[in-house]
Amino acid sequence: MEFLTLNKIDVTYDKKKTVLKGLNLEVKEGELVSLLGPSGCGKTTTLRVIAGFIEPSGGEFILDGRNYTKVPVHKRNFGIVFQSYALFPHLNVYDNVAFGLKLQKLKKAEIKRKVEDMLEICGLSEFADRFPGQMSGGQRQRVALARAMVIQPKLLLLDEPLSNLDAKLRINMRVEIKRLQKKFGITMIFVTHDQEECFSISDKVAVMNNGLIEQYDTPENIYLKPKTEFVARFIGFNNFIPLKKQSGGIFITERKELIQVEQETKLEEGLGTIRPDDILLADETVSENVMNATVGVRTFLGRSYQYEVDSTAGKLVVNAPIGKVYEPGDRVRVQLPKNKIIIVRKSM
Amino acid sequence: MKKQLPYLLLMPGSILLIVFLILPLIKVLFPTIYEGTFTVKNYREFFQDAYFMKILIRTLKIAVLCTVISMFLGVPTAYFISRCNKKKRGLLLALTIFPLLTNSVIRSFAWINILGRNGIVNTLLMNAGIIEKPLTLLYTEFSILVGSIYLFLPLMIITVAGTMENIENDLMEAAESLGASRLSAFIKIVLPMSIPGIIVGNILVFTGTLTAYTTPQLLGGNSNLVLATFIYQRAMSLGDWTGAGVVAAVMIAATMVVLRIFNALAAKIDERGEKYA
Amino acid sequence: MRKNKMLVAFACCVFAFLFLPLFIIAVTAFGGESAITFPIQSFSLKWFANIFTSGSFISSFKTSFQIALFATLLALLVGIPAAYALARYTIKGKNMIQSFFLSPTIIPGIVLGFALYRFIVLVMRMPVFYGLLLGHFLAVLPYIIRVVGSSLSQFDFSIEEAAWSLGCGKVSAFFKVVIPNITSGIMAAFMLAFINSFNNIPVSMFLTGPGVSTFPTNLMNYIEYNYDPTVSAVSVLLMAGTIIIMFVVEKTLGIASLAK
């Protein structure tokens, strides 16, 4: 039995625009799951369904054995950290953090103890009397976290919480979030469009596109074994060769060239994808998965040169060591090592 | 030359204001405190005269009631408008502005037809058998109050909605996620954050009602004078220029005191506001 | 957006309160009876005809239109340079000058009318029309200062300096660069001032004299002596005019520009 289950969630706006179509998601207790995808993919909508701000037109949301689909927001007891932080500008830090506890009608002394503990944990003790307008972005972020955590939520939802911070602070904060998550064992759903942020922090990642989850896996698997063209592109693959299965590990390109692939796949047809770093500029002695190509544009990347080459399997991007320099127009042989090719499903 | 330019630009307006606002005001106000020598006699008489005092108190009473009721009706309505989507909000704002642009004679006239002896309210109540004789609703303090609320409520709604629009929806959602019901989120977040707008709304409605002429004239009749209708009667019917001058001074003073009070209140809130600005 | 049913019902009641009276008036304008009745028993357009046959409505409409137009233009002529000076330059006592220019708002309209009547009609013996014009000018000047001023405060004056640097004289830079960029503010100020002058009663009460009455004061006098649906018919026409103005404003400036 999973801790959190989204079962065939549908969301439509204005009765016309479908945002989520039959979305399924399962999360184990204490996991940190990221929803990753470009803007408009439905990740924020999914989060808002879980939070209760959007009532889905179909499907159900189960948490800890209880159906939450129609529970009003204020009875859910989920902590939410907003992209804008949404701190109450007329309340100081202490009152912001105490807001939820006061609504739980706890005793004053208990509220004080809980708030002070939480401020301590988040390194905010000295700011208790400050107003949000007097604080820096990073400090506000901490207040938002403290305010959401202090109510001991069943679930913590974070909507691009780090996108308004500068690069250095972002890294500090994501370590902080991970630390708090481990400390309290809270189940977290984290929405982001930044893959580095997402991979570094998550136990599992759901890559979303067009209101659907394209792949739900560990960060390592997403990075090394993308299942669809969309996921592959999103995490930086940029060479795609249409392939059809011939037999076993042999695939055939549109130009009838044979390509060997080590990875086992059930797909009869798909795209072979490979990172620019993994393509080799081959000499005469190699014969496996080799194609003739003409060099196009060359750009200097520092540790390597990047070439756009026109091969018999189409245009490819190749990163080659700086030892040997090729000029546009040079004829070369490129090798696609069979253990580096991944077959992915073509995305719409 | 360069330094004189701004003063040159301000000159025509200043001259017109001095000649046609300040001088005339001095002309009507000065005689109220100077009759050969400086005196407060006219004011003492005013405040000792039960009839005058009745009018002053009636005016203040109507202004206070109108402000308070407009606030109770206007704030939730403004909240409703501010939480609508952009398209609906524009429509509702236009609907609110429309009465404001309609002549106040017409807006008062509407209530003559509703509250009059043979008006709609009486006709309805008599047809329903609730009353036998028509109620006297028109030409009472009640009818002035209703007409004034009708006149100034849109002003309150627009002013408050303007402030509430700027409150991010995120804040409401944050409050709800922390366990606040819609109502308590409104009371704990929206209301405190809208106080500046509510104060401005109160200033506009209060000073407006305090100095309104048309509505009390049409809905109050001669037995329910307020300061504005009283001035006119003093000056035009009785030719009592000094008396009218005293009432004018009282009206200006009352307006200024009200502005002072509300501005002090606003400043106090701003002081807190500066911390979170 | 999810909404509370109570709040929706409350807001509906408030809007009903705001519009039912106007709706009732509009309906009574089409009644055939000689006294106002609601609901109407028969249909007639004779009250509309009545407006145009009784000369006082037409002539007072003309007066009000002229007064509103001239008072607004005068206020723009005087108010725009003043607003510009206040927004552009750091001058001593800026706040005081600003409140001085806004001071007509704290003087109740009836007091303004009374003072002007005493001073320029009785003492200076100015014709009634000019008294009205000046009174309305004073009443609308604050709108100009406020609305044009707020639009100038958002204007980036480095644009004006750029024009100077390109060889444009100060006066011509003002007309070629500043004015075109605050047109919408000026238009909004014009509309607000015009409508307020046209509808104004307190200032006019004292200043209308023999042969000169404004449209609203004429309407008010009519109500005091007659109880027939002519006023309803007038209301319908005025409301129709208001709707047209609002529509034009919405298409050009956006309706929010009148909510200042």
Side-chain angles (χ1 to χ4, degrees):
Chain A
M1 189 70 196
E2 300 288 345
F3 181 63
L4 179 156
T5 311
L6 289 180
N7 190 10
K8 294 193 183 122
I9 297 285
D10 290 317
V11 172
T12 17
Y13 280 145
D14 301 332
K15 290 180 183 136
K16 275 172 287 183
K17 219 182 132 223
T18 308
V19 188
L20 297 182
K21 16 193 172 184
L23 183 120
N24 295 307
L25 182 69
E26 291 184 333
V27 178
K28 291 194 176 62
E29 187 154 17
E31 267 185 339
L32 197 166
V33 170
S34 284
L35 306 177
L36 176 70
S39 59
C41 70
K43 56 189 193 297
T44 297
T45 306
T46 308
L47 193 82
R48 291 174 66 80
V49 167
I50 298 173
F53 296 131
I54 298 174
E55 195 180 310
S57 46
E60 52 182 14
F61 162 37
I62 314 283
L63 184 86
D64 207 6
R66 179 178 168 201
N67 190 336
Y68 270 80
T69 321
K70 289 189 190 301
V71 175
V73 182
H74 66 280
K75 301 233 166 94
R76 294 194 180 201
N77 199 42
F78 299 166
I80 303 176
V81 178
F82 292 80
Q83 186 172 11
S84 64
Y85 313 143
L87 299 180
F88 306 128
H90 60 298
L91 301 178
N92 65 20
V93 169
Y94 182 93
D95 288 330
N96 259 286
V97 177
F99 190 91
L101 297 175
K102 284 181 183 163
L103 285 160
Q104 291 176 3
K105 306 253 185 303
L106 298 182
K107 291 219 177 65
K108 236 183 166 163
E110 198 181 351
I111 293 177
K112 190 167 182 309
R113 186 179 54 76
K114 286 192 173 187
V115 172
E116 279 171 357
D117 284 354
M118 188 48 77
L119 290 179
E120 176 77 48
I121 290 167
C122 296
L124 288 164
S125 297
E126 53 189 307
F127 302 112
D129 297 328
R130 295 249 188 122
F131 284 86
Q134 302 167 303
M135 307 182 82
S136 70
Q139 290 165 341
R140 285 187 219 188
Q141 174 67 73
R142 276 169 215 270
V143 179
L145 259 171
R147 184 179 71 179
M149 304 267 286
V150 79
I151 59 171
Q152 289 169 309
K154 272 199 150 74
L155 194 61
L156 188 67
L157 309 172
L158 304 102
D159 185 8
E160 308 231 6
L162 307 179
S163 62
N164 289 330
L165 301 177
D166 63 46
K168 205 176 150 207
L169 212 51
R170 203 145 58 202
I171 294 170
N172 289 341
M173 279 313 293
R174 80 188 180 213
V175 175
E176 189 88 339
I177 290 173
K178 191 81 190 167
R179 181 178 68 90
L180 289 171
Q181 194 240 346
K182 290 283 168 258
K183 184 175 167 75
F184 293 98
I186 289 184
T187 312
M188 288 193 190
I189 312 282
F190 189 102
V191 161
T192 181
H193 64 265
D194 180 332
Q195 48 159 312
E196 187 197 324
E197 181 176 301
C198 158
F199 287 158
S200 69
I201 203 172
S202 317
D203 296 317
K204 270 180 150 186
V205 177
V207 183
M208 291 187 67
N209 179 34
N210 263 330
L212 281 170
I213 293 177
E214 293 254 341
Q215 189 171 352
Y216 182 46
D217 223 325
T218 61
E220 291 81 359
N221 277 347
I222 299 262
Y223 191 76
L224 298 171
K225 295 175 193 160
K227 289 224 168 69
T228 70
E229 179 191 353
F230 175 83
V231 176
R233 280 189 196 280
F234 196 75
I235 58 172
F237 284 86
N238 50 4
N239 295 312
F240 292 90
I241 306 161
L243 294 175
K244 269 190 187 143
K245 194 182 253 182
Q246 180 92 341
S247 67
I250 311 289
F251 286 76
I252 187 164
T253 69
E254 283 170 336
R255 289 267 202 91
K256 309 285 180 224
E257 283 163 317
L258 296 181
I259 302 246
Q260 293 182 48
V261 178
E262 227 176 59
Q263 180 207 13
E264 287 185 19
T265 174
K266 287 183 189 131
L267 289 174
E268 288 297 316
E269 196 173 336
L271 295 170
T273 186
I274 183 164
R275 290 179 197 271
D277 282 334
D278 293 332
I279 300 181
L280 304 172
L281 291 176
D283 53 38
E284 300 296 325
T285 59
V286 189
S287 60
E288 172 198 285
N289 289 355
V290 169
M291 279 170 269
N292 289 320
T294 317
V295 173
V297 180
R298 181 186 72 217
T299 40
F300 181 56
L301 298 182
R303 282 178 33 230
S304 58
Y305 282 113
Q306 183 163 79
Y307 297 97
E308 265 181 26
V309 302
D310 215 350
S311 80
T312 49
K315 277 204 172 13
L316 295 174
V317 180
V318 182
N319 289 353
I322 51 177
K324 183 163 168 47
V325 183
Y326 295 91
E327 296 301 328
D330 285 356
R331 302 194 59 80
V332 290
R333 280 152 55 84
V334 293
Q335 187 205 354
L336 314 178
K338 65 177 178 186
N339 59 342
K340 303 286 186 179
I341 300 176
I342 299 160
I343 307 291
V344 298
R345 199 175 64 237
K346 206 169 159 53
S347 293
M348 294 300 147
Chain B
M1 173 61 209
K2 201 185 164 203
K3 283 207 160 164
Q4 287 161 357
L5 184 64
Y7 296 101
L8 214 62
L9 293 171
L10 290 165
M11 192 73 82
S14 307
I15 292 174
L16 284 172
L17 280 174
I18 290 169
V19 175
F20 296 110
L21 182 71
I22 307 300
L23 283 184
L25 278 177
I26 292 173
K27 169 76 188 155
V28 295
L29 296 182
F30 191 63
T32 64
I33 52 164
Y34 188 82
E35 292 174 339
T37 110
F38 284 100
T39 169
V40 290
K41 186 186 100 220
N42 290 312
Y43 290 89
R44 209 175 45 227
E45 277 172 11
F46 179 89
F47 285 106
Q48 280 171 355
D49 186 324
Y51 180 63
F52 295 162
M53 282 308 283
K54 213 174 140 188
I55 291 173
L56 176 63
I57 288 168
R58 176 186 297 133
T59 312
L60 288 173
K61 189 169 86 184
I62 291 172
V64 169
L65 284 175
C66 175
T67 310
V68 171
I69 295 173
S70 296
M71 188 165 69
F72 275 106
L73 294 178
V75 170
T77 310
Y79 176 60
F80 172 79
I81 293 175
S82 72
R83 294 301 113 183
C84 284
N85 61 35
K86 209 176 163 210
K87 211 170 150 194
K88 228 168 136 193
R89 200 165 63 214
L91 182 72
L92 290 174
L93 277 179
L95 283 179
T96 318
I97 291 171
F98 178 74
L100 274 183
L101 301 182
T102 307
N103 200 303
S104 55
V105 176
I106 291 168
R107 289 196 276 162
S108 304
F109 176 68
W111 287 97
I112 296 181
N113 295 319
I114 295 170
L115 300 176
R117 209 172 162 71
N118 302 313
I120 291 160
V121 172
N122 276 325
T123 316
L124 280 179
L125 289 179
M126 293 216 291
N127 286 349
I130 297 169
I131 53 168
E132 283 176 6
K133 278 193 294 182
L135 298 171
T136 313
L137 299 169
L138 192 58
Y139 306 125
T140 60
E141 287 182 12
F142 170 76
S143 57
I144 302 180
L145 180 62
V146 172
S148 303
I149 295 169
Y150 187 64
L151 207 59
F152 290 111
L153 178 57
L155 213 52
M156 179 72 85
I157 295 177
I158 283 176
T159 316
V160 178
T163 320
M164 286 183 174
E165 254 177 45
N166 296 329
I167 300 174
E168 295 288 336
N169 207 27
D170 277 3
L171 294 180
M172 297 293 295
E173 293 185 345
E176 280 185 63
S177 75
L178 293 167
S181 65
R182 218 65 68 67
L183 183 66
S184 65
F186 172 72
I187 292 169
K188 292 190 167 157
I189 307 299
V190 177
L191 221 44
M193 289 184 70
S194 331
I195 287 176
I198 296 174
I199 288 181
V200 174
N202 278 328
I203 291 178
L204 293 175
V205 174
F206 196 91
T207 56
T209 320
L210 197 66
T211 60
Y213 174 82
T214 317
T215 304
Q217 173 65 25
L218 286 173
L219 300 180
N222 283 331
S223 51
N224 287 291
L225 292 179
V226 294
L227 289 178
T229 45
F230 185 56
I231 281 200
Y232 188 71
Q233 197 207 46
R234 277 278 116 173
M236 290 314 240
S237 312
L238 304 172
D240 176 5
W241 302 114
T242 316
V246 170
V247 183
V250 170
M251 281 179 87
I252 295 173
T255 310
M256 283 177 161
V257 167
V258 170
L259 281 176
R260 264 287 150 77
I261 293 172
F262 279 117
N263 281 334
L265 212 65
K268 207 167 179 188
I269 286 160
D270 263 2
E271 211 175 278
R272 191 190 69 187
E274 250 161 44
K275 286 194 206 149
Y276 66 76
Chain C
M1 195 54 214
R2 309 151 306 135
K3 283 241 185 54
N4 185 315
K5 281 193 190 104
M6 290 275 288
L7 185 62
V8 176
F10 187 91
C12 285
C13 289
V14 167
F15 278 104
F17 171 69
L18 289 180
F19 279 91
L20 266 183
L22 294 177
F23 172 74
I24 289 169
I25 296 241
V27 170
T28 58
F30 297 94
E33 297 75 31
S34 60
I36 293 173
T37 40
F38 182 86
I40 53 173
Q41 313 292 323
S42 59
F43 180 83
S44 161
L45 289 174
K46 63 182 171 193
W47 306 111
F48 288 92
N50 196 27
I51 301 171
F52 296 97
T53 48
S54 93
S56 71
F57 282 114
I58 303 295
S59 70
S60 66
F61 184 88
K62 275 187 195 153
T63 309
S64 270
F65 194 88
Q66 283 172 346
I67 298 271
L69 187 64
F70 292 140
T72 304
L73 289 179
L74 181 62
L76 283 172
L77 199 65
V78 170
I80 293 174
Y84 174 78
L86 287 168
R88 180 76 175 89
Y89 299 99
T90 40
I91 40 179
K92 255 192 218 159
K94 189 170 173 168
N95 285 338
M96 250 182 63
I97 298 173
Q98 180 130 18
S99 352
F100 177 59
F101 271 84
L102 294 175
S103 63
T105 40
I106 60 163
I107 309 298
I110 193 85
V111 173
L112 187 61
F114 169 56
L116 279 172
Y117 176 70
R118 284 280 281 151
F119 189 66
I120 59 178
V121 179
L122 296 185
V123 177
M124 291 173 78
R125 303 256 159 225
M126 238 189 229
V128 173
F129 184 84
Y130 293 104
L132 270 173
L133 185 60
L134 280 167
H136 282 235
F137 157 75
L138 291 172
V140 301
L141 182 63
Y143 288 104
I144 309 286
I145 300 283
R146 218 167 12 189
V147 177
V148 174
S150 91
S151 124
L152 275 170
S153 70
Q154 283 158 27
F155 179 73
D156 177 6
F157 283 105
S158 61
I159 297 170
E160 194 189 22
E161 284 161 3
W164 296 345
S165 77
L166 294 168
C168 198
K170 283 205 170 176
V171 176
S172 97
F174 179 76
F175 284 104
K176 282 185 181 158
V177 178
V178 180
I179 293 282
N181 279 296
I182 56 166
T183 328
S184 60
I186 294 176
M187 288 304 293
F190 178 90
M191 294 309 298
L192 271 177
F194 184 89
I195 293 169
N196 274 287
S197 165
F198 188 86
N199 284 336
N200 188 296
I201 287 187
V203 175
S204 312
M205 273 323 284
F206 277 99
L207 297 170
T208 47
V212 183
S213 67
T214 67
F215 192 69
T217 55
N218 184 49
L219 204 57
M220 202 153 146
N221 287 335
Y222 190 90
I223 291 173
E224 287 188 24
Y225 300 106
N226 304 278
Y227 191 65
D228 68 38
T230 309
V231 179
S232 303
V234 170
S235 312
V236 169
L237 293 185
L238 280 188
M239 284 192 262
T242 310
I243 290 171
I244 291 169
I245 290 175
M246 283 181 72
F247 190 75
V248 172
V249 170
E250 168 62 24
K251 286 285 162 238
T252 50
L253 306 169
I255 202 74
S257 63
L258 293 184
K260 279 174 185 157

